[in-house]
Amino acid sequence: MILIISNFELIVDNSFTCFEIVVASLLSWKGYSYELMFMNSWGFSYKPAPSGLISDGINECAGGIWYPLEFYQGVKLITKNLEAKTALDFIKEELRNNRPVIINANTYWCPWHDHYQKLSRSHSIIVLGIDNENGTLDCVDKYTWQSVHGPCKMSFSDFLNGYQNLIIMNNGKPLARIDWRKIIREAVLCMKSQADYDLIYYLKKGNLVERTLLALKLAELKSKKTSCFDEMRLFAQKVDESSLENEKQNGLSIERNSLLVSLMKLTHGRKKFADLLNYLGKAQKVEPLIHGARLMGNSTWQWGDASSHLYNYFQNNDPAEKKRFCEGVKTLAIYEEMIADMLIKLTYK
């Protein structure tokens, strides 16, 4: 038996994680717009950590992709922790019904990956086909460039060794219609007040008593916490005051430095939020949102430029490079707060 889904296109975007790529690709294949899942990608908070490491105090995320998909599109992601052999049978049945399957696997057992039989790391891929006679699965992910090379083969043996769990999409009724004003307000709320996104989530999902209690808690948090833009300035100040010697991790390449990785995630988050603004602007025919997307795209570039100065500092220890990074972050705090204020005004009815 040979089964293969041939009309599947992999979305490849370097700002997406491997999980975001497979989810976005599957959503697009099913006829959904994937941009909505990035409504919470514009995030930043900084609080000095007990460890003293600046990188430990950064949180670059305002919320995940799971809630927006379910709330606005009725798409629920469900993790199934099946035994490997049971999972293989499940995949066969899904493919018989023309349904691709997302799996999380260890890169140590992904033959096409640079980490194959070298390094263990969790990774998300899509299974598009199966060949029972040869005992192989046809897989795609962000590293296979399926649009150019086509799917890669994974033996049943590698699958059974590397499989971790699988994820399916259930299609249901959205909990709310798409209201671009509400979506933007929620995104800006996370930036302006640094309110915990989980609280915002449960304010929608809980019963009346829970919502009332959480509303009070949310109000308390809003009154006590500073905006993320002030936290950006604090972050820049702490970097300026530190030699960053304790941020240099022995044995790791500069590219894998925790502080630089967090900055890369920040940069990618801005790019994904720009994608969301552009999508909403075009879908709702709101030109100021498209303009906001361009501004957010410029912020993406500025974060990348600032990070390059910190990268140079780690390479050559030039204090001028660190100073340029700090000034860049302070400028970004002003620029992004301007964007937030513009979006708040835009959402007034």
Side-chain angles (χ1 to χ4, degrees):
M1 179 188 68
I2 300 176
L3 295 168
I4 185 72
I5 295 171
S6 58
N7 62 338
F8 191 94
E9 292 187 8
L10 189 71
I11 294 171
V12 179
D13 190 312
N14 288 334
S15 71
F16 294 4
T17 66
C18 60
F19 180 63
E20 290 167 348
I21 281 178
V22 297
V23 171
S25 300
L26 192 49
L27 284 170
S28 181
W29 183 77
K30 286 175 172 283
Y32 292 95
S33 299
Y34 64 82
E35 291 88 350
L36 280 173
M37 72 182 186
F38 295 131
M39 62 176 279
N40 302 308
S41 64
W42 182 21
F44 179 90
S45 66
Y46 175 75
K47 293 175 181 57
S51 66
L53 291 172
I54 292 175
S55 53
D56 284 347
I58 297 177
N59 182 1
E60 73 285 341
C61 184
I65 69 174
W66 302 70
Y67 164 72
L69 288 178
E70 182 179 1
F71 195 73
Y72 289 108
Q73 293 183 297
V75 176
K76 190 172 183 179
L77 300 175
I78 301 173
T79 301
K80 297 180 75 71
N81 294 302
L82 304 176
E83 294 293 331
K85 290 184 178 180
T86 305
L88 190 56
D89 291 335
F90 179 88
I91 289 170
K92 292 177 184 177
E93 186 60 29
E94 289 294 285
L95 293 174
R96 282 194 192 97
N97 290 288
N98 198 43
R99 290 193 290 261
V101 183
I102 296 175
I103 67 169
N104 292 315
N106 190 330
T107 55
Y108 190 90
W109 299 103
C110 296
W112 59 88
H113 202 288
D114 290 342
H115 294 163
Y116 182 57
Q117 297 193 345
K118 294 178 183 178
L119 183 65
S120 294
R121 183 170 293 174
S122 184
H123 183 51
S124 299
I125 62 182
I126 292 181
V127 181
L128 293 180
I130 191 166
D131 185 339
N132 265 343
E133 293 180 6
N134 294 314
T136 59
L137 297 166
D138 290 275
C139 307
V140 293
D141 68 2
K142 69 180 291 184
Y143 297 103
T144 61
W145 287 85
Q146 178 243 0
S147 59
V148 178
H149 303 297
C152 294
K153 302 290 184 182
M154 172 184 271
S155 69
F156 285 179
S157 175
D158 280 340
F159 172 81
L160 293 173
N161 282 306
Y163 163 81
Q164 295 172 340
N165 55 44
L166 58 84
I167 294 172
I168 61 171
M169 285 186 180
N170 272 6
N171 301 334
K173 185 178 179 181
L175 301 176
R177 67 180 181 85
I178 296 175
D179 181 340
W180 68 267
R181 289 184 175 85
K182 186 175 181 181
I183 290 172
I184 298 302
R185 282 195 201 104
E186 288 186 3
V188 175
L189 176 62
C190 290
M191 298 298 289
K192 291 294 284 185
S193 70
Q194 269 306 287
D196 181 7
Y197 185 79
D198 286 339
L199 286 177
I200 301 172
Y201 172 78
Y202 286 112
L203 277 172
K204 300 181 184 70
K205 300 286 284 188
N207 59 39
L208 179 60
V209 174
E210 290 173 328
R211 290 201 303 269
T212 301
L213 292 174
L214 288 169
L216 293 172
K217 184 66 175 177
L218 183 58
E220 180 185 351
L221 282 171
K222 288 172 66 176
S223 66
K224 288 184 177 180
K225 292 189 176 183
T226 57
S227 77
C228 79
F229 308 108
D230 289 332
E231 291 179 339
M232 282 185 195
R233 298 179 184 97
L234 176 61
F235 166 64
Q237 176 188 332
K238 292 296 182 182
V239 171
D240 194 28
E241 294 171 352
S242 172
S243 66
L244 300 182
E245 281 300 317
N246 58 351
E247 296 286 344
K248 297 177 182 178
Q249 296 150 303
N250 294 329
L252 290 180
S253 64
I254 294 179
E255 289 77 11
R256 292 172 61 194
N257 176 277
S258 295
L259 183 53
L260 291 174
V261 168
S262 291
L263 291 170
M264 178 188 69
K265 290 178 180 178
L266 282 165
T267 303
H268 288 172
R270 269 87 183 137
K271 191 269 178 187
K272 289 181 282 193
F273 191 72
D275 289 345
L276 169 76
L277 291 175
N278 191 57
Y279 163 74
L280 289 174
K282 290 181 176 178
Q284 305 294 323
K285 296 182 172 55
V286 182
E287 184 60 37
L289 282 181
I290 299 174
H291 175 61
R294 290 192 287 266
L295 294 177
M296 209 72 226
N298 189 48
S299 180
T300 302
W301 178 86
Q302 290 183 65
W303 273 106
D305 182 64
S307 299
S308 69
H309 291 301
L310 198 62
Y311 179 90
N312 292 338
Y313 173 75
F314 279 122
Q315 274 195 318
N316 55 37
N317 210 34
D318 180 359
E321 287 294 302
K322 182 161 68 97
K323 181 66 70 176
R324 292 187 187 101
F325 168 78
C326 296
E327 292 303 316
V329 173
K330 291 175 184 176
T331 300
L332 273 161
I334 298 171
Y335 183 75
E336 290 197 359
E337 188 161 24
M338 177 200 73
I339 296 175
D341 289 341
M342 181 202 77
L343 292 174
I344 288 172
K345 292 176 182 177
L346 187 60
T347 59
Y348 288 154
K349 289 188 177 181

